[in-house]
Amino acid sequence: MGQQDNRSYEFGRFRLKVAEHILLREGELVPLTPKVFDILLTLVENSGQVVSKDDLMKRVWPNTFVEEGNLTQNISLLRKALGESPGGVQFIETVPRRGYRFVAETGETSEAPDLNPLVSAEIPAQIPAVVAAPVRTRRTPAFVLAAGLVVVSIIGLMYFTSKAGNTAAIQSIAVLPFVDESADPDGEYLNDKIAESLINSLSKLPQLRVVPRSVVAAYKGKEIDPRKIGEELNVRAVVTGRMRRHGDIISIQADLIDLQNVAQLWGQHYDHKVSDVLLVQDDISRDIFENLRLKLNVEEKKQLEAYRLYLKGRNSWNKRTGDALQEAIEFFNQAIEIDPNYGAAYAGLADCYNMLVVYGRLQPKEGFPKAKEAALKALEIDESSAEAHSSLAFIKFRWDWDRAETEREFQTAIRLKPAYAPAHQWYSSYLVAVERFDEAIAEAKRTEELEPLQFVASSHLGWIYYLSGKNDEAIEQCRKILEIDPSSFPARRYLGLAYEGKGMYAEAISEFQTGLKLSGSPLMLALLGHAYAVAGKRAEAQQVLNDLQQLQSQRYVSPYTVAVIYAGLGDQEQAFKWLDKAVEERDIWLMNLKVDPVFAKLRSQRKFTDILARIRLRP
């Protein structure tokens, strides 16, 4: 190996080892994706100098075109890995309109590669024991990482103490039910969600015995004596917690207790939005890992980092906006870069591409093939993945028009994971499209039961009510959502449709106008055009058609939604022309054609039944 390969760079508490392609923090491995490592190495090699964005992208992604957003996202991940915080330690300076500069004092050495890159973490030291870690407050992701560094240093003291009673790694643990201090009706859901995720995360460590959720659930609602429970469950440590919800903010105090030494190893306070509940779980599980004193090998650390990126991807995917979906794709790709055989991340990618088609950010021919490839890859890795079967079922329904396969995939997903909400949600969409209304409503209600804090699930029930002809129920459901979150544009959409179904055109137009301001969606604009048309405002409807035509040069506009406006204007010739175009493009909304009330006046036409036959919605 050449001399250059043996270089090491030191800055702060970090050592960057070029030959091993690793970053160490006080001897402990810091998980980095290959691209993030390459960015760090480039910046360190040019320490004190501005490295342009173009140069960085050419160095890290040679011979490949990438958007600047990829670089920004990876720089953000690098900052977090280094523990940067606002007003605190800073390693990377952003130079506006130019690039980035590595500002930390850097030293370069040349050495023979270690046979074991983690060997420095094995050297004992004589340091007094620490009994309990202080409680800190977590407010922002950057602050979280700064606090995490403090936690790591404290745990280092504890791990290297000379007292035999404290040196052994914790190898058994139970996550006890958290106490809800706010009497929140959704508290039990949050409690179960967080406990399930923590147990799933901890169970990924082969060295750690984790008590199953079904066992610890028996302690829910009971007075908790950690030592007694520890003896009953035969575990060395327990995680306890208290939870309180303030509006859309969830506050959690979590503690890790070493029962053998009667000591609190760690305690921390977390504040997050309810919509970011997955990030709460990720934060808590990461901090627990750091405090268990387990000696993880490089592969185990990579798997944990991939899982954390997956959780972040799912959290972004849940938001459903175009920008959030693109962010989710980045997270899932980073997880796959760390672990190419991570099936769940491929399923996440499939869901992102599916939703980008739903929200008009990609044409069906662009999004669905990518989604299908990712879903099949996920199933190739793990045939029992309910998420992947659900993703594939969505594609079979909306793109392949294969009713038999759609039914089979949804049933498989629900059998494999009955509590997976998206499987029930998307299955209800299929059921209502084939006129199985009662089953569709039941599945939509099940979705809401499984995800009571997700407005996507609640508004979806309003959509199913509307397509089932239950406009009053749809109005009640959507109003309930908007009382809590007036910015929910899906609820505005379905409320407007239900108003229109009852002939309340002024109310419908108002809801669509508000929804359009919130989302900027061509779909919402088309619905507004239809409402204008059926309300007799033909000039306004024609203006919407003109607006959609201009919009086509900027983004995808669904032919189905254009047909909706012509149907409202009573122009059946143009309506069928655009429906034919929708068939050619395999428009995602065609699967609603048989039950969509806006086309009620076209159903008696032979052309309409011919289209249903072409898209396999009738024998």
Side-chain angles (χ1 to χ4, degrees):
M1 186 175 294
Q3 180 68 21
Q4 183 178 356
D5 289 337
N6 297 335
R7 289 174 301 151
S8 288
Y9 294 93
E10 293 185 357
F11 52 92
R13 297 181 299 153
F14 295 91
R15 172 174 288 188
L16 184 69
K17 308 188 80 171
V18 179
E20 290 87 346
H21 219 65
I22 61 173
L23 176 67
L24 300 175
R25 179 175 55 218
E26 295 186 339
E28 290 289 337
L29 181 70
V30 179
L32 297 178
T33 68
K35 298 301 183 187
V36 172
F37 179 89
D38 290 343
I39 291 172
L40 175 58
L41 179 58
T42 302
L43 292 174
V44 170
E45 287 177 336
N46 296 276
S47 181
Q49 304 176 37
V50 177
V51 182
S52 72
K53 294 179 180 179
D54 285 342
D55 286 345
L56 264 177
M57 289 191 285
K58 289 176 183 177
R59 169 75 180 269
V60 177
W61 291 278
N63 305 318
T64 303
F65 172 77
V66 296
E67 296 181 354
E68 188 176 307
N70 286 22
L71 175 62
T72 303
Q73 180 65 42
N74 279 278
I75 288 286
S76 176
L77 289 172
L78 177 55
R79 291 185 191 277
K80 293 178 181 179
L82 295 175
E84 288 195 2
S85 61
V89 63
Q90 185 180 33
F91 296 95
I92 304 169
E93 176 189 2
T94 300
V95 182
R97 294 184 297 279
R98 294 180 63 191
Y100 302 93
R101 179 192 290 119
F102 197 80
V103 295
E105 185 175 344
T106 305
E108 179 180 351
T109 61
S110 182
E111 59 184 21
D114 292 336
L115 292 178
N116 180 358
L118 301 180
V119 69
S120 58
E122 304 294 338
I123 302 174
Q126 299 298 319
I127 300 176
V130 176
V131 175
V135 176
R136 292 166 297 282
T137 299
R138 171 168 302 207
R139 296 290 176 183
T140 66
F143 182 83
V144 166
L145 285 158
L149 293 176
V150 177
V151 171
V152 170
S153 61
I154 292 173
I155 297 309
L157 291 173
M158 296 179 65
Y159 188 85
F160 294 123
T161 179
S162 60
K163 294 186 177 182
N166 285 339
T167 56
I170 293 173
Q171 295 181 322
S172 57
I173 193 170
V175 179
L176 302 183
F178 283 21
V179 177
D180 178 22
E181 296 182 328
S182 59
D184 187 341
D186 295 318
E188 184 175 355
Y189 161 77
L190 283 170
N191 189 330
D192 291 344
K193 186 105 176 168
I194 293 169
E196 179 183 13
S197 179
L198 287 177
I199 291 170
N200 289 343
S201 298
L202 293 169
S203 298
K204 292 183 178 295
L205 300 178
Q207 310 168 33
L208 186 66
R209 179 175 68 83
V210 184
V211 178
R213 180 187 172 195
S214 58
V215 175
V216 295
Y219 295 97
K220 185 185 297 186
K222 297 181 180 179
E223 191 71 26
I224 292 180
D225 179 347
R227 292 194 66 185
K228 181 179 179 182
I229 294 175
E231 291 176 1
E232 293 175 357
L233 299 178
N234 189 28
V235 292
R236 164 79 180 274
V238 295
V239 178
T240 64
R242 294 183 176 276
M243 180 176 61
R244 179 180 292 274
R245 182 179 172 189
H246 318 268
D248 67 340
I249 299 296
I250 178 175
S251 297
I252 295 176
Q253 172 64 41
D255 300 287
L256 177 63
I257 301 173
D258 182 347
L259 301 176
Q260 179 175 313
N261 295 294
V262 195
Q264 177 185 328
L265 295 180
W266 156 87
Q268 190 144 295
H269 188 87
Y270 304 81
D271 286 335
H272 272 295
K273 287 188 175 182
V274 173
S275 59
D276 288 329
V277 66
L278 286 176
L279 295 186
V280 180
Q281 301 159 45
D282 176 42
D283 289 343
I284 298 175
S285 62
R286 179 180 57 192
D287 289 344
I288 291 174
F289 287 142
E290 291 179 346
N291 285 271
L292 289 176
R293 302 197 291 265
L294 294 171
K295 304 304 294 179
L296 304 182
N297 60 38
V298 174
E299 188 60 31
E300 288 169 339
K301 289 187 177 183
K302 283 184 176 181
Q303 289 175 358
L304 289 178
E305 182 62 17
Y307 178 67
R308 289 167 186 155
L309 288 166
Y310 171 76
L311 284 182
K312 290 177 181 178
R314 280 297 179 188
N315 191 75
S316 296
W317 176 75
N318 277 334
K319 299 180 187 301
R320 295 296 205 276
T321 66
D323 290 343
L325 289 170
Q326 291 292 350
E327 183 180 62
I329 287 174
E330 287 296 321
F331 283 129
F332 291 134
N333 277 328
Q334 288 160 15
I336 290 169
E337 194 169 3
I338 292 174
D339 182 0
N341 291 315
Y342 195 4
Y346 283 104
L349 275 181
D351 288 341
C352 286
Y353 287 121
N354 281 338
M355 291 302 106
L356 284 171
V357 175
V358 169
Y359 291 103
R361 293 302 183 103
L362 289 178
Q363 295 186 39
K365 67 180 180 181
E366 295 174 326
F368 280 133
K370 292 181 179 179
K372 192 170 188 177
E373 180 182 5
L376 291 174
K377 178 64 176 179
L379 288 172
E380 177 186 323
I381 295 170
D382 181 9
E383 175 60 29
S384 65
S385 169
E387 292 82 355
H389 281 288
S390 297
S391 304
L392 188 58
F394 190 97
I395 299 161
K396 292 290 184 182
F397 173 43
R398 296 286 184 181
W399 176 247
D400 291 341
W401 301 341
D402 190 331
R403 290 171 58 180
E405 283 296 300
T406 296
E407 182 88 29
R408 187 180 71 82
E409 291 294 339
F410 275 132
Q411 292 285 5
T412 299
I414 292 171
R415 174 176 53 80
L416 289 169
K417 194 172 182 179
Y420 184 54
H424 296 276
Q425 177 186 338
W426 299 334
Y427 187 36
S428 70
S429 293
Y430 166 74
L431 291 170
V432 77
V434 295
E435 299 180 288
R436 291 159 61 179
F437 299 115
D438 290 343
E439 293 176 75
I441 292 171
E443 290 294 332
K445 286 183 175 179
R446 179 60 177 151
T447 304
E448 189 180 40
E449 290 171 1
L450 291 169
E451 298 282 3
L453 299 181
Q454 291 290 341
F455 293 134
V456 170
S458 296
S459 59
H460 181 77
L461 177 56
W463 166 242
I464 298 300
Y465 277 139
Y466 163 72
L467 290 178
S468 300
K470 298 179 180 293
N471 290 315
D472 290 333
E473 288 90 338
I475 290 171
E476 181 182 358
Q477 180 72 10
C478 293
R479 281 177 173 170
K480 180 177 68 175
I481 297 168
L482 292 172
E483 285 176 4
I484 303 172
D485 181 14
S487 66
S488 173
F489 74 87
R492 296 282 180 189
R493 171 190 170 193
Y494 305 141
L495 180 58
L497 286 169
Y499 279 145
E500 189 180 291
K502 290 176 67 67
M504 301 167 65
Y505 300 129
E507 292 84 351
I509 289 171
S510 176
E511 293 300 330
F512 293 141
Q513 288 173 335
T514 302
L516 181 60
K517 290 177 182 177
L518 290 169
S519 67
S521 166
L523 171 61
M524 196 69 78
L525 179 59
L527 293 175
L528 176 60
H530 180 268
Y532 281 143
V534 295
K537 298 178 180 290
R538 299 183 66 86
E540 289 88 341
Q542 187 60 53
Q543 182 58 52
V544 170
L545 284 170
N546 295 338
D547 292 342
L548 287 172
Q549 185 175 5
Q550 293 180 5
L551 197 59
Q552 282 181 313
S553 63
Q554 304 171 27
R555 60 184 296 183
Y556 179 67
V557 174
S558 157
Y560 183 94
T561 62
V562 177
V564 163
I565 301 176
Y566 281 115
L569 289 169
D571 189 339
Q572 294 191 4
E573 181 179 351
Q574 283 295 321
F576 280 118
K577 173 186 173 182
W578 283 91
L579 284 175
D580 284 336
K581 183 174 175 61
V583 174
E584 291 172 9
E585 296 185 6
R586 289 182 173 260
D587 192 303
I588 187 173
W589 302 112
L590 275 173
M591 290 297 98
N592 300 325
L593 185 60
K594 197 173 184 180
V595 295
D596 195 337
V598 302
F599 291 111
K601 293 182 179 179
L602 274 63
R603 289 176 186 161
S604 61
Q605 300 294 316
R606 174 66 180 270
K607 290 182 179 179
F608 191 84
T609 54
D610 286 346
I611 291 176
L612 290 180
R614 288 162 64 190
I615 62 177
R616 305 175 193 174
L617 279 177
R618 65 184 296 266

